Amino acid sequence: MAKIIVVTSGKGGVGKTTSSAAIGTGLALKGHKTVIIDFDIGLRNLDLIMGCERRVVYDFVNVINGEANLKQTLIKDKRTDNLFILPASQTRDKDALTKDGVERVLNELAKDFDFILCDSPAGIEAGAMMALYFADEAVVVTNPEVSSVRDSDRILGMLSSKSRRAEQGLDAIKEHLLLTRYNPERVEKGEMLSVDDVKEILSIDLLGVIPESQAVLNASNSGQPVILDAESDAGQAYLDTVDRLLGEKVPFRFLTVEKKGLLKRIFGG
Amino acid sequence: MSDQTLELKGSLFPLSVLSCPDLSVSALQTQLSQKLAQAPAFFYQAPIILNLTDCQQTPDFIAIKQLFTELKLVLVGVCGASSTLKQQAQQAGLAALQLGKDSKAAAVAAAPASKAAPAVNTVSVAMDSKVVEQAVRSGQQIYAKGTDLIVKGTVGAGAEVIADGNIHIYGTLRGKAIAGAAGDSSKRIYCYNLQAELVSIAGNYWLSESLQGEFWSKSACVKLQDDQLVLAELV
Ligand SMILES: Nc1ncnc2c1ncn2[C@@H]1O[C@H](COP(=O)(O)OP(=O)(O)O)[C@@H](O)[C@H]1O
Ligand SMILES: [Mg+2]
């Protein structure tokens, strides 16, 4: 049975697409056949972060409209086995996605894939609702600041009332908190909410904490998901996150300010 | 599969008992629709027992069952039936249940009122208050009409919980809580951790700035005393 996971947040620019790319790649690295769907119709940037923008021929909307089939449209990732991208359209408007159409595509993908990751657009309008409607699990991406936490709370409300599982009275969507762009120094100074603050406010399980990291910017500039940069803090944090998503117990890292050692202080780093 | 054995155990479940002086399909249809319109989500697919205590003529069980299905209710059985009615109900695939002591009292108590104003009286056996099992999230609004509201999780900033009765919140109250919404000034708000945007009882309200102090971020009870809101210890 394929698992449908929505990566959502309410607020824009918090790291949904970065996280979709990283988690999707991580699941595939673990041997699970995975497809990442870009629901951000009209913007389209999953393909940029995955570095496959020049290989986009058809898109999600083409498949829904029957103008292309999945086989023609899915982009097979060049670096990672088991990984496919279903890109968004840049030219259509958001209303191009219909519930029936999305359901048809998801059902077809479910025959073939272990994980279907839905990279949601920002907001709480139709596009975001469509991305979360069919989900079995949700990764709620949140930055440690008040407005992002508030929007995540809002999205959690939608997950528990406006999703297919809610409407049909099935088991609730499994909700995970992914705290991204976490900066322990700024938390210490009281400029940002702490992990505990956010956990307390949202009261859902913590899936991962991704530090604010230059590695993310380098990765997206080179069109390579940051999880492949296994040396980097953010890469390692995403690897841990994927392990937890698969049910493993992994301790949390990068939560406190790193005390620089004597050598590091002398030689920099 | 083979080592799984069948198990049959007795259990008690809360069921709503429906009493109505007129059990014709048309009467049930109008009155139930009105009732449901008040709280559609609350009764969605609710299991219901039909009370036949005062029933004079023979109801059309098949048609009533059909009506319940259309209204998204589940008719599971009857209670208080005479032996003939019991048989007919059973033929329609309904369970015939014994009316418990408490619900008999409740059903009888409801009878005079139903004569004065022929309204549907649902007597819920063990589900008096409205209970919300999860957190109430930002942007959500919950209304417990005519009863108490119990929220097991937190009420997020930007969320609103309203009750004509009391409000009990076992998590943190960060949003708005409005008790005694129909004007009853004896109602109270109880919460485990008070960080509210607004609390109100019978129209008297305080914003978060008036709540700062001794009870902020602590458990508290909000009540009205001489038309004045006061905060008090929860226990
Ligand atoms: N952990 C991080 N550290 C630093 N920058 C990040 C991190 N996560 C995301 N970003 C940056 O934030 C911006 C928004 O990220 P993106 O994944 O596109 O967000 P969304 O899809 O939620 O709009 C991008 O410029 C991205 O590089
Ligand atoms: Mg995005």
Side-chain angles (χ1 to χ4, degrees):
Chain A
M1 262 288 278
K3 219 176 239 176
I4 303 176
I5 303 177
V6 61
V7 180
T8 183
S9 71
K11 198 171 155 73
V14 294
K16 290 180 293 294
T17 301
T18 303
S19 299
S20 300
I23 294 171
T25 304
L27 289 168
L29 285 172
K30 289 259 170 183
H32 303 286
K33 194 166 178 194
T34 301
V35 55
I36 315 174
I37 307 179
D38 190 347
F39 273 79
D40 208 345
I41 308 298
L43 279 177
R44 210 187 104 176
N45 55 42
L46 177 69
D47 50 335
L48 291 174
I49 292 193
M50 294 299 297
C52 62
E53 71 278 10
R54 281 194 293 276
R55 296 164 61 211
V56 174
V57 182
Y58 296 111
D59 58 58
F60 194 13
V61 174
N62 291 135
V63 181
I64 284 178
N65 293 345
E67 293 149 4
N69 63 32
L70 272 175
K71 205 162 168 248
Q72 296 167 304
T73 311
L74 285 175
I75 301 174
K76 189 177 183 328
D77 192 83
K78 282 213 164 124
R79 290 169 295 244
T80 314
D81 278 346
N82 305 314
L83 183 60
F84 293 79
I85 315 298
L86 183 53
S89 167
Q90 237 168 349
T91 50
R92 313 299 178 98
D93 64 65
K94 292 182 192 284
D95 301 331
L97 296 184
T98 60
K99 211 179 249 181
D100 289 348
V102 171
E103 183 170 27
R104 241 184 311 115
V105 174
L106 289 175
N107 284 341
E108 203 176 330
L109 288 169
K111 290 183 207 150
D112 230 17
F113 285 89
D114 302 320
F115 286 98
I116 301 171
L117 237 62
C118 305
D119 179 19
S120 173
I124 51 168
E125 274 84 57
M129 289 301 116
M130 204 65 83
L132 69 77
Y133 187 76
F134 296 99
D136 301 308
E137 298 191 18
V139 173
V140 179
V141 181
T142 308
N143 290 166
E145 39 123 0
V146 171
S147 68
S148 172
V149 173
R150 175 78 70 100
D151 286 2
S152 293
D153 196 54
R154 194 92 197 253
I155 279 290
L156 285 163
M158 300 291 176
L159 289 167
S160 58
S161 62
K162 296 281 178 342
S163 61
R164 180 184 69 100
R165 283 177 171 272
E167 283 181 2
Q168 299 181 358
L170 306 172
D171 288 344
I173 292 178
K174 199 165 164 195
E175 302 156 343
H176 309 276
L177 171 62
L178 181 61
L179 203 53
T180 57
R181 313 200 67 163
Y182 196 68
N183 186 334
E185 267 161 49
R186 296 192 58 192
V187 172
E188 256 182 27
K189 286 189 208 146
E191 294 169 2
M192 276 185 164
L193 297 172
S194 71
V195 177
D196 288 338
D197 291 339
V198 180
K199 259 172 65 179
E200 214 263 314
I201 296 174
L202 294 178
S203 48
I204 58 171
D205 281 343
L206 183 64
L207 179 70
V209 180
I210 313 298
E212 173 81 25
S213 169
Q214 180 62 36
V216 173
L217 305 177
N218 299 345
S220 50
N221 285 336
S222 60
Q224 170 149 307
V226 68
I227 199 168
L228 293 176
D229 184 359
E231 302 285 296
S232 68
D233 49 359
Q236 290 173 11
Y238 274 118
L239 285 167
D240 290 353
T241 299
V242 169
D243 285 343
R244 288 189 204 103
L245 194 59
L246 292 171
E248 281 174 53
K249 274 222 167 303
V250 186
F252 288 91
R253 296 192 271 176
F254 316 111
L255 302 189
T256 49
V257 179
E258 208 183 312
K259 300 278 181 288
K260 282 193 178 170
L262 183 62
L263 288 179
K264 265 199 177 160
R265 244 183 286 161
I266 294 169
F267 298 109
Chain B
M1 284 298 265
S2 57
D3 56 13
Q4 229 153 24
T5 52
L6 188 117
E7 213 180 37
L8 208 52
K9 271 195 198 159
S11 264
L12 292 168
F13 296 98
L15 294 171
S16 295
V17 179
L18 179 83
S19 311
C20 184
D22 185 353
L23 290 177
S24 69
V25 174
S26 57
L28 279 174
Q29 167 132 41
T30 25
Q31 299 197 27
L32 269 176
S33 307
Q34 280 170 12
K35 190 85 188 167
L36 293 178
Q38 295 168 2
F42 188 71
F43 290 107
Y44 181 77
Q45 298 292 10
I48 307 260
I49 305 289
L50 196 59
N51 187 357
L52 301 180
T53 310
D54 299 321
C55 185
Q56 315 293 350
Q57 71 284 53
T58 305
D60 183 347
F61 289 116
I62 304 278
I64 293 177
K65 228 170 120 176
Q66 179 66 34
L67 170 70
F68 273 55
T69 311
E70 281 163 19
L71 294 173
K72 302 272 188 292
L73 297 167
V74 186
L75 183 59
V76 289
V78 298
C79 66
S82 66
S83 55
T84 10
L85 281 181
K86 205 172 185 173
Q87 225 172 12
Q88 277 161 349
Q90 283 167 337
Q91 268 164 13
L94 297 169
L97 303 171
Q98 205 77 3
L99 201 56
K101 272 205 189 88
D102 290 350
S103 45
K104 190 179 262 167
V108 172
S114 63
K115 280 202 188 95
V120 181
N121 291 293
T122 58
V123 182
S124 19
V125 175
M127 277 182 31
D128 209 5
S129 316
K130 185 175 177 69
V131 181
V132 179
E133 299 283 345
Q134 335 78 353
V136 183
R137 303 290 183 181
S138 177
Q140 289 184 315
Q141 191 191 60
I142 307 268
Y143 177 29
K145 190 175 169 57
T147 185
D148 285 2
L149 176 63
I150 299 172
V151 181
K152 291 200 180 168
T154 62
V155 176
E160 228 172 87
V161 290
I162 307 168
D164 292 339
N166 301 294
I167 298 178
H168 308 256
I169 299 163
Y170 292 103
T172 304
L173 169 60
R174 293 196 180 82
K176 302 188 171 113
I178 296 157
D184 185 344
S185 55
S186 71
K187 299 306 176 203
R188 296 178 178 189
I189 298 165
Y190 304 89
C191 71
Y192 182 71
N193 186 326
L194 178 71
Q195 300 179 32
E197 291 169 337
L198 175 147
V199 293
S200 162
I201 290 172
N204 301 272
Y205 67 89
W206 265 350
L207 292 172
S208 109
E209 53 194 12
S210 316
L211 298 170
Q212 308 294 326
E214 195 190 344
F215 289 100
W216 188 253
S217 293
K218 303 234 167 49
S219 66
C221 163
V222 187
K223 57 184 177 186
L224 265 183
Q225 228 165 45
D226 310 323
D227 288 337
Q228 202 53 54
L229 281 180
V230 290
L231 296 178
E233 303 266 355
L234 191 57
V235 283

